[in-house]
Amino acid sequence: MTHSGPRTGTTLDAVAEAGRKAALIAYLPVGFPTVAGSTEAMVELVRNGVDIIEVGLPYSDPGMDGPVIQRAGEAALDNGVHTSDVFTAVEAIAEAGGTAVVMSYWNLVLQYGVDSFARDLASAGGGGIVTPDLIPDEAGPWLAASEKHDLDRIFLAAPSSTPERLARIVEHSSGFVYAASTMGVTGVRSEVDNHARGLVARLKEAGAERACVGLGVSNREQAAEVAEYADGVIVGSALVRALDSEGVAGVGRLAAELAEGCA
Amino acid sequence: MTDLSEETGPYFGEFGGRFIPEALIPALDEIEETWRKSQVDPAFTDELLTLQRSYIGRPSLLTEATRFAEHCGGARVFLKREDLNHTGSHKINNALAQALLAKRMGKTRLIAETGAGQHGVATATAAALLDMSCVVYMGEEDTQRQALNVARMRLLGATVNAVTNGTRTLKDAMNEAMRDWVANVDDTHYVIGTVAGPHPFPAMVRSFQNVIGVEAREQIQDMAGRLPDAVCACVGGGSNAMGLFAAFLGDADVKIFGFEAGGEGVDSGHHAARFSGGRPGVLHGSATYILQDADGQTQASHSVSAGLDYPSVGPEHSHLHVTGRVTYEPVVDEEAMEAMRLLSRTEGIIPAIESAHALAGAMRIGRELGPDAVLLVNLSGRGDKDMTTAAKWFDYIDEGAVQV
């Protein structure tokens, strides 16, 4: 039994107790533009009010991602990023006082070894894994490893999920449920789909303690809108774009702006 | 052990499953339910049977290849002529059936991935016939080496989107089709072209390709008076192979061989031999054998044949590999091209380069089994689409000649 880092549920509850509307959850892929550069950006996020960081693991076949994250992932892979680099980033975030989880397509975890990955993530100070292409039905080994190493299982729920599916997702999730606000891939959208509010309500009805909304949020206004009904606001592509065009300082500025929307 | 021919998914042994975003699960459930109901609904099976006869041209012929057989150790060689189907390959069997299912589900738009372009053409054809809109995703590299099929799809009214990310081949086309599907699942059906992808696709596509083996089993008994000693097919995703193999899985005396693209040789690293050079993992929705690096990043495949140039394989093939029921062997580019030339010159039949891998394999197996053997080979498609590749390979175009 290893001791994992801060769990997402604890972090989300602390945000609520502090009287803030929602937590700010940020996604950046490790290795973009370099491992050191991405780690520096993630620490900057913590300093600018981000509560939970999803450390993305670049993958050759990111079927759930739109062009911004695809390109960042390809660049990271071209630069030679490896699975083990994710633990470096997680450790830096934990040291900076942030809560870190990993977001990864399943094959990378599978090839590392599900139990080994959970063990190394926990000892790096990570809190769990977001699994975009793993449904609870297929997650047997991960259910066991997450129990053993005290990690959160963050499954996704979609607007298309039936009540039966939502019940199953809620039953097997820990920390929070990732509510995909729209039917589609990651990317900045001019409006966050109004499916999201309904999905969060349905998740709560199904017994979810906490639900965080992702896919499409890019600015303070959208963050504030989602913060009204969600426990956390997840931002990805907009931050990757900011890092690409304005560097670490730019990411910090956008994070601070988004954090105001969640306050 | 359960009867291998009775497997219906979601798992084939330790392979298969649904490793896919939650957003698509309701769509997969709907497809499975509609498919299972359709299998016992005479309105569906009659409509499909009628189209198979009057539109595809089924049953496809079984042709004994006596001159080609001389290069196969003197064994008797029978070719299942899927190349004679409308649109030129076995792909139409599945595309048309899935298009009918999509109509039943109230979908108005079909999307597809394609490598060599045969599945894209088949889907575009089904969409034209059934008055549906159609978008085909094709890796940019494949749109260049299969330019004629791109033109065919456009003539049939489909939109062809060249995919420029990743390795710009079939696997990236599949990623892009998946992204389209998740955003448009309300009105769109994704016609996966092979026995891969999440459940129920592997089992469903096999059920639509089964007709190959069912016909061939009866035909070869009529013509040879017995079951074959060996059955051969090429394996990319593996739909022509599963369609043929399924009918023979229960026949213990029938040896079954699947031939993967060995590219420039398995040791060169430039190949698509998943069983010789890959290991189990998860890609495109199912657990199966994959070409991947130590981290699990998918490795680029290589083959002279676009249709076999895929780093993953249908999960049922992985199961048949680990159980030992089917033997999978690589065939390198050079062997396949030589078999293509040989069949053309001995039988007057120009095979697709994909199918030429099965022919090259049959030459090998025939020599092993000897002159008393009876071989059944799936000629999954015709080679017209491959003329540019073949002309370059064999140096058949006169210097300075330009087709006008």
Side-chain angles (χ1 to χ4, degrees), chain A residues 55-165:
Chain A
V55 182
L57 199 40
Y59 179 47
S60 52
D61 294 271
M64 265 291 276
D65 285 309
V68 173
I69 294 178
Q70 279 179 49
R71 277 199 298 272
E74 277 184 32
L77 289 169
D78 287 344
N79 288 339
V81 73
H82 283 290
T83 300
S84 53
D85 293 324
V86 90
F87 306 122
T88 310
V90 165
E91 224 163 56
I93 293 162
E95 272 171 27
T99 300
V101 295
V102 166
M103 183 159 192
S104 179
Y105 290 92
W106 193 239
N107 194 47
L108 301 177
V109 178
L110 198 62
Q111 298 305 322
Y112 193 92
V114 178
D115 190 73
S116 307
F117 192 98
R119 179 199 63 211
D120 292 354
L121 176 60
S123 43
I129 313 181
V130 184
T131 51
D133 63 348
L134 186 73
I135 58 172
D137 320 47
E138 305 285 0
W142 168 227
L143 298 182
S146 54
E147 289 298 326
K148 183 173 162 196
H149 299 288
D150 198 22
L151 292 167
D152 286 331
R153 295 184 294 266
I154 302 152
F155 291 111
L156 273 67
S160 58
S161 302
T162 59
E164 295 73 29
R165 296 285 321 160

Side-chain angles (χ1 to χ4, degrees), chain B residues 33-99:
Chain B
E33 194 190 339
T34 310
W35 165 54
R36 293 210 189 278
K37 279 185 187 157
S38 74
Q39 297 295 287
V40 292
D41 178 357
F44 181 88
T45 51
D46 288 353
E47 187 178 8
L48 184 56
L49 192 66
T50 302
L51 283 172
Q52 284 176 346
R53 285 184 182 149
S54 64
Y55 190 74
I56 298 178
R58 303 209 71 88
S60 66
L61 298 178
L62 190 71
T63 302
E64 180 162 14
T66 51
R67 293 192 62 222
F68 179 72
E70 290 168 19
H71 302 271
C72 303
R76 293 185 74 182
V77 177
F78 294 86
L79 306 176
K80 181 60 176 162
R81 301 291 305 279
E82 293 299 300
D83 61 318
L84 296 177
N85 292 339
H86 177 48
T87 72
S89 82
H90 70 290
K91 293 292 189 187
I92 191 76
N93 300 329
N94 167 53
L96 196 52
Q98 282 200 47

Side-chain angles (χ1 to χ4, degrees), chain A:
Chain A
M1 168 94 195
T2 44
H3 292 281
S4 61
R7 298 280 292 264
T8 57
T10 315
T11 306
L12 290 167
D13 288 349
V15 167
E17 277 159 30
R20 285 162 56 204
K21 286 192 296 182
L24 177 58
I25 303 174
Y27 167 96
L28 283 180
V30 68
F32 179 74
T34 60
V35 174
S38 60
T39 306
E40 193 192 335
M42 290 174 201
V43 170
E44 187 70 7
L45 291 176
V46 177
R47 293 196 186 120
N48 283 278
V50 172
D51 301 289
I52 298 171
I53 295 179
E54 289 178 11
V55 182
L57 199 40
Y59 179 47
S60 52
D61 294 271
M64 265 291 276
D65 285 309
V68 173
I69 294 178
Q70 279 179 49
R71 277 199 298 272
E74 277 184 32
L77 289 169
D78 287 344
N79 288 339
V81 73
H82 283 290
T83 300
S84 53
D85 293 324
V86 90
F87 306 122
T88 310
V90 165
E91 224 163 56
I93 293 162
E95 272 171 27
T99 300
V101 295
V102 166
M103 183 159 192
S104 179
Y105 290 92
W106 193 239
N107 194 47
L108 301 177
V109 178
L110 198 62
Q111 298 305 322
Y112 193 92
V114 178
D115 190 73
S116 307
F117 192 98
R119 179 199 63 211
D120 292 354
L121 176 60
S123 43
I129 313 181
V130 184
T131 51
D133 63 348
L134 186 73
I135 58 172
D137 320 47
E138 305 285 0
W142 168 227
L143 298 182
S146 54
E147 289 298 326
K148 183 173 162 196
H149 299 288
D150 198 22
L151 292 167
D152 286 331
R153 295 184 294 266
I154 302 152
F155 291 111
L156 273 67
S160 58
S161 302
T162 59
E164 295 73 29
R165 296 285 321 160
L166 290 182
R168 181 186 288 250
I169 291 160
V170 168
E171 180 197 344
H172 292 287
S173 294
S174 50
F176 66 93
V177 177
Y178 188 124
S181 66
T182 185
M183 294 299 288
V185 298
T186 57
V188 171
R189 288 177 175 79
S190 54
E191 285 175 27
V192 177
D193 219 300
N194 54 14
H195 285 311
R197 191 186 293 267
L199 178 56
V200 169
R202 291 170 64 215
L203 279 166
K204 294 291 169 83
E205 266 170 47
E209 279 185 74
R210 307 169 201 90
C212 301
V213 170
L215 300 193
V217 179
S218 64
N219 59 39
R220 181 193 343 212
E221 289 70 34
Q222 288 173 332
E225 189 193 323
V226 173
E228 280 173 28
Y229 56 84
D231 298 294
V233 180
I234 306 169
V235 184
S237 299
L239 289 164
V240 175
R241 207 162 60 177
L243 178 59
D244 194 21
S245 57
E246 298 163 59
V248 171
V251 163
R253 277 195 299 275
L254 178 57
E257 180 198 320
L258 292 163
E260 280 172 30
C262 297

Side-chain angles (χ1 to χ4, degrees), chain A residues 60-62 70 82 138 160, chain B residues 11 18 23 165 179 295 297-298:
Chain A
S60 52
D61 294 271
Q70 279 179 49
H82 283 290
E138 305 285 0
S160 58
Chain B
Y11 302 103
R18 301 195 292 184
N165 44 25
R179 292 182 188 114
D295 278 356
Q297 305 288 352
T298 311

Side-chain angles (χ1 to χ4, degrees), chain B residues 74-159:
Chain B
R76 293 185 74 182
V77 177
F78 294 86
L79 306 176
K80 181 60 176 162
R81 301 291 305 279
E82 293 299 300
D83 61 318
L84 296 177
N85 292 339
H86 177 48
T87 72
S89 82
H90 70 290
K91 293 292 189 187
I92 191 76
N93 300 329
N94 167 53
L96 196 52
Q98 282 200 47
L100 289 177
L101 272 192
K103 277 242 148 177
R104 294 203 140 201
M105 292 186 286
K107 310 291 183 188
T108 56
R109 179 173 176 264
L110 300 179
I111 59 172
E113 85 292 340
T114 198
Q118 291 301 97
H119 175 58
V121 167
T123 305
T125 299
L129 180 69
L130 300 176
D131 190 21
M132 303 172 88
S133 67
C134 181
V135 175
V136 178
Y137 291 93
M138 190 166 182
E140 192 184 40
E141 188 185 324
D142 294 331
T143 60
Q144 286 160 5
R145 59 179 164 176
Q146 302 286 351
L148 275 181
N149 270 341
V150 174
R152 288 170 82 193
M153 289 182 264
R154 289 183 175 147
L155 187 58
L156 289 160
T159 301

